[in-house]
Amino acid sequence: MRNAIRVELYKSFYNRWFCVAVLIGIVLCFFNIIENIQLMDNYGYFANEIDCNYGSLSLFVHWLSINGTSLSFRLLYFVWPILVSMPFGWSYCQERRSGVYNQIVSRWDRMTYFISKYIAVFVSGGVALALPVFLNLMINALICPALTPNVNDYLSMVYDGNFLSQLYYTVPWLYSLIWCGMEFLWGGAVACLCFIVGAKPRLQVITILTPFVLLIVLDTICAILLSFWHCNLSLSPLNLAAAASANQNPEWLLFLEIGILIAVSFTVGRWQVVKHELV
């Protein structure tokens, strides 16, 4: 099992699609850095004493995952299901069509193959989302002052009841690093949704687009449900991957939805790979 996982992880990181996905994510994050450079240049660190006191120019208000008003934020957190699927979500479908799958399962059993493939897809998808966001945080730390956000600041999009909101207003560095870990979990959980379609698609692009389509459908369903229930929770997985949220995104909700996505992808994927699509 350990050797199988090592091989699949190697294949997931040493392929051009992983590099392309990370590069696209970094480019989108770089737009946010340019916006913050312009912001700091226009207003300056010490230009407005009131702004500095209230943290309106703070790193923890303007880095990508928390800055819900920027164009770069909207672009990244719309296409992120595609980015996390690009590195390795297509691999099972491609290996079935090319015949490589038959050679692999002749050396390993199908369950070992599936678990190692699942771990590789999860890890590569998580890194594809978390790495650009983490780099954005670190580079923005060189540009924006790391002032502690003020709960009364109108620019802050972390409200009472949101994910670790108390930690955000007390130890914002720890909050930001934890959120980068949450990005990893979201990226991995959504990338593994590629297993749902199994080896049926003839084109790899269909497999890559599967998580995106599923999350768009869930987003539409959640919007309809919220309009009827008048609920203040942010239920859509498409939106929960960002720290900035207009509705509440408490810790239990995030871990519950991530757990559901993992359970569904693992159960359906195991049925597809191990039980249904036999050699």
Side-chain angles (χ1 to χ4, degrees), residues 49-120:
E49 188 66 26
I50 296 178
D51 280 348
C52 288
N53 287 337
Y54 285 94
S56 296
L57 299 179
S58 172
L59 161 69
F60 306 109
V61 174
H62 293 288
W63 76 288
L64 182 63
S65 191
I66 209 71
N67 184 4
T69 60
S70 65
L71 177 61
S72 53
F73 173 91
R74 296 175 183 177
L75 287 174
L76 178 65
Y77 287 105
F78 180 70
V79 302
W80 72 270
I82 300 176
L83 293 183
V84 302
S85 304
M86 286 176 61
F88 210 50
W90 45 266
S91 60
Y92 168 67
C93 180
Q94 191 272 337
E95 289 176 358
R96 285 296 302 232
R97 289 193 295 107
S98 65
V100 174
Y101 170 85
N102 297 332
Q103 301 177 26
I104 297 175
V105 296
S106 66
R107 299 191 299 270
W108 306 332
D109 61 89
R110 287 192 292 270
M111 191 62 185
T112 299
Y113 171 83
F114 169 68
I115 293 177
S116 59
K117 180 71 70 177
Y118 189 93
I119 292 174

Coordinates of all heavy atoms in Angstrom, one line a residue, residues 49-120:
E49 N -4.1 58.1 9.9 CA -4.0 57.5 11.3 C -5.2 56.8 11.7 O -5.1 55.7 12.4 CB -3.7 58.7 12.2 CG -3.4 58.2 13.7 CD -2.0 57.5 13.7 OE1 -1.2 57.8 12.8 OE2 -1.8 56.6 14.6
I50 N -6.4 57.2 11.3 CA -7.6 56.5 11.7 C -7.7 55.1 11.1 O -8.0 54.1 11.7 CB -8.9 57.4 11.3 CG1 -8.9 58.7 12.1 CG2 -10.1 56.6 11.6 CD1 -10.0 59.6 11.8
D51 N -7.3 55.1 9.8 CA -7.4 53.8 9.1 C -6.4 52.8 9.7 O -6.7 51.6 9.9 CB -7.0 54.0 7.6 CG -8.2 54.5 6.8 OD1 -9.3 54.5 7.3 OD2 -8.0 54.9 5.7
C52 N -5.2 53.3 10.1 CA -4.3 52.4 10.7 C -4.7 51.9 12.1 O -4.6 50.7 12.4 CB -2.9 53.1 10.9 SG -2.0 53.4 9.3
N53 N -5.4 52.8 12.8 CA -5.9 52.3 14.1 C -7.0 51.3 14.0 O -7.0 50.4 14.8 CB -6.4 53.6 14.9 CG -5.3 54.5 15.4 OD1 -4.2 54.0 15.5 ND2 -5.6 55.7 15.6
Y54 N -7.8 51.4 13.0 CA -8.9 50.5 12.8 C -8.6 49.3 11.9 O -9.4 48.5 11.7 CB -10.2 51.2 12.3 CG -10.8 52.0 13.4 CD1 -10.5 53.4 13.6 CD2 -11.7 51.5 14.3 CE1 -11.1 54.2 14.6 CE2 -12.3 52.2 15.3 CZ -12.0 53.6 15.4 OH -12.6 54.3 16.4
G55 N -7.4 49.3 11.4 CA -7.0 48.1 10.6 C -7.5 48.1 9.2 O -7.6 47.0 8.6
S56 N -8.0 49.2 8.7 CA -8.6 49.2 7.3 C -7.6 48.9 6.3 O -8.0 48.4 5.2 CB -9.2 50.6 7.0 OG -10.3 50.8 7.9
L57 N -6.3 49.1 6.5 CA -5.3 48.7 5.6 C -4.6 47.4 5.9 O -3.5 47.1 5.4 CB -4.2 49.8 5.5 CG -4.7 51.2 5.0 CD1 -3.6 52.2 5.0 CD2 -5.4 51.1 3.6
S58 N -5.2 46.7 6.8 CA -4.5 45.5 7.4 C -4.4 44.4 6.3 O -5.3 44.2 5.5 CB -5.3 44.9 8.6 OG -4.8 43.7 9.0
L59 N -3.3 43.6 6.5 CA -3.1 42.4 5.7 C -4.3 41.5 5.8 O -4.8 40.9 4.8 CB -1.8 41.7 6.1 CG -1.7 40.2 5.8 CD1 -1.5 40.1 4.3 CD2 -0.5 39.6 6.5
F60 N -4.9 41.4 7.0 CA -5.9 40.4 7.3 C -7.3 40.8 6.8 O -8.3 40.1 7.0 CB -5.9 40.1 8.8 CG -4.6 39.6 9.3 CD1 -3.8 40.5 10.1 CD2 -4.0 38.4 8.9 CE1 -2.6 40.1 10.6 CE2 -2.7 38.1 9.3 CZ -2.0 38.9 10.2
V61 N -7.3 42.0 6.2 CA -8.5 42.5 5.6 C -8.4 42.4 4.0 O -9.4 42.2 3.3 CB -8.8 43.9 6.0 CG1 -10.0 44.5 5.2 CG2 -9.1 44.0 7.5
H62 N -7.2 42.4 3.5 CA -7.0 42.6 2.1 C -6.4 41.3 1.4 O -6.3 41.3 0.2 CB -6.1 43.8 1.8 CG -6.8 45.1 2.1 ND1 -7.9 45.6 1.4 CD2 -6.6 46.0 3.1 CE1 -8.3 46.7 1.9 NE2 -7.6 47.0 3.0
W63 N -5.9 40.3 2.2 CA -5.4 39.2 1.4 C -6.5 38.4 0.8 O -7.7 38.5 1.1 CB -4.5 38.3 2.3 CG -5.2 37.4 3.3 CD1 -5.9 37.8 4.4 CD2 -5.4 36.0 3.3 NE1 -6.4 36.7 5.1 CE2 -6.1 35.6 4.4 CE3 -4.9 35.0 2.4 CZ2 -6.4 34.2 4.7 CZ3 -5.2 33.6 2.7 CH2 -5.9 33.3 3.8
L64 N -6.2 37.6 -0.2 CA -7.2 37.2 -1.2 C -8.4 36.5 -0.6 O -9.6 36.8 -0.9 CB -6.5 36.2 -2.2 CG -7.4 35.7 -3.3 CD1 -7.9 36.9 -4.2 CD2 -6.7 34.7 -4.2
S65 N -8.2 35.5 0.3 CA -9.4 34.7 0.7 C -10.3 35.5 1.6 O -11.5 35.1 1.7 CB -8.8 33.5 1.5 OG -9.9 32.6 1.8
I66 N -9.9 36.6 2.1 CA -10.8 37.4 3.0 C -11.3 38.6 2.3 O -12.3 39.3 2.8 CB -10.0 37.8 4.3 CG1 -11.0 37.9 5.5 CG2 -9.2 39.0 4.1 CD1 -11.5 36.6 6.0
N67 N -10.7 39.0 1.2 CA -11.1 40.2 0.5 C -12.2 39.9 -0.5 O -12.0 39.6 -1.7 CB -9.9 40.9 -0.2 CG -10.3 42.2 -0.9 OD1 -11.4 42.7 -0.8 ND2 -9.3 42.8 -1.6
G68 N -13.5 39.9 -0.1 CA -14.6 39.4 -0.9 C -15.1 40.3 -2.0 O -16.0 40.0 -2.7
T69 N -14.5 41.5 -2.1 CA -14.9 42.5 -3.0 C -14.1 42.6 -4.3 O -14.5 43.3 -5.2 CB -15.0 43.9 -2.4 OG1 -13.7 44.3 -1.9 CG2 -16.0 43.9 -1.2
S70 N -12.9 42.0 -4.3 CA -12.0 42.2 -5.4 C -12.3 41.3 -6.6 O -13.0 40.2 -6.4 CB -10.5 41.9 -5.0 OG -10.4 40.6 -4.6
L71 N -11.9 41.7 -7.8 CA -12.2 40.9 -9.0 C -11.4 39.6 -8.9 O -11.9 38.5 -9.3 CB -11.7 41.7 -10.2 CG -11.9 40.9 -11.5 CD1 -13.3 40.5 -11.8 CD2 -11.3 41.8 -12.7
S72 N -10.2 39.6 -8.4 CA -9.4 38.4 -8.3 C -10.1 37.4 -7.3 O -10.0 36.2 -7.6 CB -8.0 38.7 -7.7 OG -8.0 39.5 -6.5
F73 N -10.7 37.8 -6.3 CA -11.4 37.0 -5.4 C -12.5 36.3 -6.1 O -12.7 35.1 -6.0 CB -11.9 37.8 -4.2 CG -12.9 37.0 -3.3 CD1 -12.4 36.4 -2.2 CD2 -14.2 37.0 -3.5 CE1 -13.2 35.6 -1.3 CE2 -15.1 36.3 -2.7 CZ -14.6 35.6 -1.6
R74 N -13.3 37.0 -6.8 CA -14.5 36.5 -7.5 C -14.0 35.5 -8.6 O -14.7 34.4 -8.8 CB -15.3 37.6 -8.2 CG -15.9 38.5 -7.1 CD -16.6 39.7 -7.8 NE -17.1 40.6 -6.8 CZ -17.7 41.8 -7.1 NH1 -17.9 42.1 -8.3 NH2 -18.1 42.6 -6.1
L75 N -12.9 35.7 -9.3 CA -12.5 34.8 -10.3 C -12.0 33.5 -9.7 O -12.4 32.4 -10.2 CB -11.3 35.5 -11.1 CG -11.7 36.6 -12.1 CD1 -10.5 37.2 -12.7 CD2 -12.6 36.0 -13.2
L76 N -11.1 33.6 -8.7 CA -10.5 32.4 -8.1 C -11.6 31.5 -7.5 O -11.7 30.3 -7.7 CB -9.5 32.7 -7.1 CG -8.9 31.5 -6.3 CD1 -8.1 30.7 -7.3 CD2 -8.0 31.9 -5.2
Y77 N -12.5 32.1 -6.7 CA -13.5 31.3 -6.0 C -14.7 31.0 -6.9 O -15.7 30.5 -6.3 CB -13.9 32.0 -4.7 CG -12.8 31.9 -3.7 CD1 -11.9 33.0 -3.4 CD2 -12.5 30.7 -3.1 CE1 -10.9 32.9 -2.6 CE2 -11.4 30.6 -2.2 CZ -10.6 31.7 -1.9 OH -9.6 31.5 -1.1
F78 N -14.6 31.2 -8.2 CA -15.6 30.7 -9.1 C -15.1 29.5 -9.9 O -15.8 28.5 -10.1 CB -16.1 31.8 -10.1 CG -17.1 31.3 -11.1 CD1 -18.4 31.0 -10.7 CD2 -16.7 31.1 -12.4 CE1 -19.3 30.6 -11.6 CE2 -17.7 30.7 -13.4 CZ -19.0 30.4 -13.0
V79 N -13.8 29.6 -10.2 CA -13.2 28.5 -11.1 C -12.4 27.5 -10.2 O -11.9 26.5 -10.8 CB -12.3 29.1 -12.1 CG1 -13.0 30.1 -13.0 CG2 -11.0 29.8 -11.5
W80 N -12.4 27.7 -8.9 CA -11.5 26.8 -8.1 C -11.9 25.3 -8.2 O -11.0 24.4 -8.2 CB -11.5 27.2 -6.6 CG -12.8 27.0 -5.9 CD1 -13.8 27.8 -5.7 CD2 -13.1 25.8 -5.1 NE1 -14.8 27.2 -4.9 CE2 -14.4 26.0 -4.5 CE3 -12.4 24.6 -4.8 CZ2 -15.0 25.1 -3.7 CZ3 -13.0 23.7 -4.0 CH2 -14.3 23.9 -3.5
P81 N -13.1 24.9 -8.4 CA -13.4 23.5 -8.6 C -12.7 22.9 -9.8 O -12.3 21.7 -9.8 CB -14.9 23.4 -8.7 CG -15.4 24.6 -8.0 CD -14.4 25.7 -8.4
I82 N -12.5 23.7 -10.9 CA -11.8 23.2 -12.0 C -10.3 23.1 -11.8 O -9.7 22.1 -12.2 CB -12.1 24.2 -13.2 CG1 -13.6 24.3 -13.6 CG2 -11.3 23.7 -14.5 CD1 -13.9 25.2 -14.6
L83 N -9.8 24.1 -11.1 CA -8.3 24.1 -10.8 C -7.9 22.9 -9.9 O -6.9 22.3 -10.2 CB -7.9 25.4 -10.0 CG -8.0 26.7 -10.8 CD1 -7.6 27.9 -9.9 CD2 -7.2 26.6 -12.1
V84 N -8.7 22.5 -9.0 CA -8.4 21.4 -8.1 C -8.5 20.0 -8.8 O -7.9 19.0 -8.4 CB -9.2 21.4 -6.8 CG1 -9.0 22.7 -6.0 CG2 -10.7 21.2 -7.0
S85 N -9.3 20.0 -9.9 CA -9.5 18.8 -10.6 C -8.5 18.5 -11.7 O -8.2 17.4 -12.1 CB -10.9 18.7 -11.3 OG -11.9 18.9 -10.3
M86 N -7.9 19.6 -12.1 CA -6.9 19.6 -13.2 C -5.7 18.7 -12.9 O -5.2 18.0 -13.8 CB -6.5 21.0 -13.7 CG -7.5 21.7 -14.5 SD -7.0 23.4 -14.8 CE -5.5 23.1 -15.8
P87 N -5.1 18.8 -11.7 CA -3.8 18.1 -11.5 C -3.9 16.6 -11.7 O -3.0 16.0 -12.3 CB -3.5 18.4 -10.0 CG -4.2 19.7 -9.8 CD -5.4 19.7 -10.6
F88 N -4.9 15.9 -11.2 CA -4.9 14.5 -11.2 C -6.3 13.8 -11.2 O -6.4 12.6 -11.2 CB -4.1 13.9 -10.0 CG -3.4 12.6 -10.3 CD1 -2.6 12.4 -11.4 CD2 -3.5 11.5 -9.4 CE1 -2.0 11.2 -11.7 CE2 -2.9 10.3 -9.6 CZ -2.1 10.2 -10.8
G89 N -7.4 14.7 -11.2 CA -8.7 14.1 -11.2 C -9.1 13.3 -12.4 O -9.9 12.4 -12.4
W90 N -8.4 13.5 -13.5 CA -8.6 12.8 -14.8 C -7.9 11.5 -14.9 O -8.1 10.7 -15.8 CB -8.1 13.7 -15.9 CG -6.8 14.3 -15.7 CD1 -6.5 15.5 -15.1 CD2 -5.5 13.6 -15.9 NE1 -5.1 15.7 -15.0 CE2 -4.5 14.6 -15.4 CE3 -5.1 12.4 -16.4 CZ2 -3.1 14.3 -15.5 CZ3 -3.7 12.1 -16.4 CH2 -2.8 13.0 -16.0
S91 N -7.0 11.2 -13.9 CA -6.0 10.1 -14.1 C -6.7 8.7 -14.2 O -6.3 7.9 -15.0 CB -5.0 10.1 -13.0 OG -5.7 10.0 -11.7
Y92 N -7.7 8.5 -13.4 CA -8.3 7.1 -13.4 C -9.0 6.9 -14.7 O -8.9 5.8 -15.4 CB -9.4 7.0 -12.3 CG -10.2 5.8 -12.4 CD1 -9.7 4.5 -12.3 CD2 -11.6 5.9 -12.7 CE1 -10.5 3.4 -12.5 CE2 -12.4 4.8 -12.8 CZ -11.9 3.6 -12.7 OH -12.7 2.4 -12.9
C93 N -9.7 7.9 -15.2 CA -10.4 7.8 -16.5 C -9.4 7.6 -17.6 O -9.6 6.7 -18.5 CB -11.2 9.0 -16.8 SG -12.1 9.0 -18.3
Q94 N -8.3 8.3 -17.6 CA -7.3 8.2 -18.6 C -6.6 6.8 -18.6 O -6.3 6.2 -19.6 CB -6.3 9.3 -18.5 CG -5.3 9.5 -19.6 CD -4.1 8.6 -19.5 OE1 -3.7 8.2 -18.4 NE2 -3.4 8.3 -20.6
E95 N -6.3 6.3 -17.4 CA -5.6 5.0 -17.3 C -6.6 3.9 -17.7 O -6.1 2.9 -18.2 CB -5.2 4.9 -15.8 CG -4.0 5.8 -15.5 CD -3.5 5.6 -14.0 OE1 -4.2 4.9 -13.3 OE2 -2.6 6.3 -13.7
R96 N -7.9 4.0 -17.5 CA -8.8 3.0 -17.9 C -8.8 2.9 -19.5 O -8.8 1.9 -20.1 CB -10.2 3.3 -17.4 CG -10.4 2.9 -15.9 CD -10.2 1.5 -15.6 NE -11.1 0.6 -16.4 CZ -11.9 -0.3 -15.8 NH1 -11.8 -0.5 -14.5 NH2 -12.6 -1.1 -16.5
R97 N -8.9 4.1 -20.1 CA -9.0 4.2 -21.5 C -7.7 3.7 -22.2 O -7.7 3.1 -23.3 CB -9.4 5.6 -22.0 CG -10.8 6.0 -21.7 CD -11.2 7.2 -22.4 NE -10.5 8.4 -21.9 CZ -9.6 9.0 -22.7 NH1 -9.2 8.5 -23.9 NH2 -8.9 10.0 -22.2
S98 N -6.5 4.0 -21.6 CA -5.2 3.7 -22.2 C -4.8 2.3 -22.0 O -3.9 1.8 -22.6 CB -4.2 4.6 -21.7 OG -3.9 4.5 -20.3
G99 N -5.4 1.6 -21.0 CA -5.1 0.2 -20.7 C -4.0 0.1 -19.6 O -3.7 -1.0 -19.2
V100 N -3.5 1.3 -19.1 CA -2.5 1.2 -18.0 C -3.1 0.6 -16.8 O -2.4 0.0 -16.0 CB -2.0 2.7 -17.8 CG1 -1.1 2.7 -16.5 CG2 -1.3 3.2 -19.0
Y101 N -4.4 0.8 -16.6 CA -5.1 0.3 -15.4 C -4.9 -1.2 -15.3 O -4.7 -1.7 -14.2 CB -6.6 0.7 -15.5 CG -7.5 0.0 -14.5 CD1 -7.6 0.5 -13.2 CD2 -8.2 -1.1 -14.8 CE1 -8.4 -0.1 -12.2 CE2 -9.0 -1.8 -13.9 CZ -9.1 -1.2 -12.6 OH -9.9 -1.9 -11.7
N102 N -5.0 -1.9 -16.4 CA -4.9 -3.4 -16.4 C -3.5 -3.8 -15.9 O -3.4 -4.8 -15.2 CB -5.2 -3.9 -17.8 CG -6.6 -3.7 -18.2 OD1 -7.5 -3.5 -17.4 ND2 -6.8 -3.6 -19.5
Q103 N -2.5 -3.1 -16.3 CA -1.2 -3.4 -15.9 C -1.0 -3.2 -14.4 O -0.3 -3.9 -13.8 CB -0.2 -2.6 -16.7 CG -0.2 -2.8 -18.2 CD 0.7 -1.9 -19.0 OE1 1.7 -1.5 -18.5 NE2 0.4 -1.6 -20.3
I104 N -1.6 -2.1 -13.9 CA -1.4 -1.7 -12.5 C -2.1 -2.7 -11.6 O -1.5 -3.2 -10.6 CB -1.9 -0.3 -12.2 CG1 -1.1 0.7 -13.0 CG2 -1.8 0.0 -10.7 CD1 -1.6 2.1 -12.9
V105 N -3.3 -3.1 -11.9 CA -4.1 -4.0 -11.0 C -3.6 -5.4 -11.1 O -4.0 -6.3 -10.3 CB -5.6 -3.9 -11.3 CG1 -6.2 -2.5 -11.1 CG2 -5.9 -4.3 -12.8
S106 N -2.8 -5.7 -12.1 CA -2.1 -7.0 -12.2 C -1.1 -7.2 -11.1 O -0.7 -8.3 -10.7 CB -1.5 -7.3 -13.6 OG -0.4 -6.4 -13.8
R107 N -0.6 -6.0 -10.6 CA 0.4 -6.0 -9.5 C -0.2 -5.7 -8.2 O 0.3 -6.2 -7.2 CB 1.6 -5.0 -9.9 CG 2.3 -5.3 -11.2 CD 3.6 -4.5 -11.3 NE 3.3 -3.1 -11.3 CZ 3.0 -2.4 -12.4 NH1 3.0 -3.0 -13.6 NH2 2.8 -1.1 -12.4
W108 N -1.2 -4.8 -8.2 CA -1.9 -4.5 -7.0 C -3.3 -4.9 -7.1 O -3.9 -5.0 -8.2 CB -1.8 -2.9 -6.7 CG -0.5 -2.3 -6.7 CD1 0.7 -2.9 -6.4 CD2 -0.2 -1.0 -7.1 NE1 1.7 -2.0 -6.5 CE2 1.2 -0.8 -7.0 CE3 -0.9 0.1 -7.5 CZ2 1.9 0.4 -7.2 CZ3 -0.2 1.3 -7.8 CH2 1.1 1.4 -7.6
D109 N -4.0 -5.1 -6.0 CA -5.5 -5.4 -6.1 C -6.2 -4.1 -6.3 O -5.7 -3.0 -6.1 CB -5.9 -6.0 -4.8 CG -5.7 -5.2 -3.5 OD1 -6.6 -4.4 -3.2 OD2 -4.6 -5.3 -2.9
R110 N -7.4 -4.2 -6.7 CA -8.2 -2.9 -7.1 C -8.4 -2.0 -5.9 O -8.4 -0.8 -6.1 CB -9.5 -3.4 -7.7 CG -9.4 -3.9 -9.1 CD -10.7 -4.0 -9.8 NE -11.6 -5.1 -9.2 CZ -11.6 -6.3 -9.5 NH1 -10.8 -6.8 -10.5 NH2 -12.3 -7.2 -8.9
M111 N -8.6 -2.5 -4.7 CA -8.8 -1.7 -3.5 C -7.6 -0.9 -3.2 O -7.6 0.3 -2.9 CB -9.2 -2.5 -2.3 CG -9.7 -1.7 -1.2 SD -11.2 -0.8 -1.6 CE -11.5 0.2 -0.1
T112 N -6.4 -1.5 -3.3 CA -5.1 -0.8 -3.1 C -5.0 0.3 -4.2 O -4.6 1.4 -3.8 CB -3.9 -1.7 -3.2 OG1 -4.1 -2.7 -2.1 CG2 -2.6 -1.0 -3.0
Y113 N -5.3 0.0 -5.4 CA -5.2 1.0 -6.5 C -6.1 2.1 -6.2 O -5.7 3.3 -6.3 CB -5.6 0.3 -7.8 CG -5.8 1.3 -8.9 CD1 -4.7 1.7 -9.7 CD2 -7.0 1.7 -9.3 CE1 -4.8 2.6 -10.7 CE2 -7.2 2.6 -10.4 CZ -6.1 3.1 -11.1 OH -6.2 4.0 -12.1
F114 N -7.4 1.9 -5.8 CA -8.3 2.9 -5.6 C -7.9 3.8 -4.4 O -8.0 5.1 -4.5 CB -9.7 2.4 -5.3 CG -10.7 3.4 -4.8 CD1 -11.1 4.4 -5.6 CD2 -11.2 3.4 -3.5 CE1 -12.0 5.4 -5.2 CE2 -12.1 4.4 -3.0 CZ -12.5 5.4 -3.9
I115 N -7.5 3.3 -3.3 CA -7.1 4.1 -2.1 C -5.9 4.9 -2.4 O -5.9 6.1 -2.1 CB -6.9 3.2 -0.9 CG1 -8.2 2.5 -0.5 CG2 -6.3 4.0 0.2 CD1 -8.0 1.5 0.7
S116 N -4.9 4.4 -3.1 CA -3.7 5.2 -3.4 C -4.1 6.3 -4.4 O -3.6 7.4 -4.3 CB -2.7 4.3 -4.0 OG -3.1 3.6 -5.2
K117 N -4.9 5.9 -5.4 CA -5.4 7.0 -6.4 C -6.2 8.1 -5.7 O -6.0 9.2 -6.0 CB -6.2 6.3 -7.5 CG -6.7 7.2 -8.6 CD -5.6 7.7 -9.4 CE -5.1 6.6 -10.3 NZ -4.0 7.1 -11.2
Y118 N -7.1 7.7 -4.8 CA -7.9 8.6 -4.1 C -7.0 9.6 -3.3 O -7.3 10.8 -3.3 CB -8.9 7.9 -3.2 CG -9.9 8.8 -2.5 CD1 -11.2 8.9 -3.2 CD2 -9.7 9.5 -1.4 CE1 -12.2 9.7 -2.6 CE2 -10.7 10.3 -0.8 CZ -11.9 10.4 -1.4 OH -12.9 11.2 -0.9
I119 N -6.1 9.0 -2.6 CA -5.2 9.9 -1.7 C -4.4 10.9 -2.6 O -4.2 12.1 -2.3 CB -4.2 9.0 -0.9 CG1 -5.0 8.3 0.2 CG2 -3.1 9.9 -0.3 CD1 -4.1 7.3 0.9
A120 N -3.9 10.4 -3.8 CA -3.1 11.2 -4.7 C -4.0 12.3 -5.3 O -3.6 13.5 -5.4 CB -2.5 10.4 -5.8

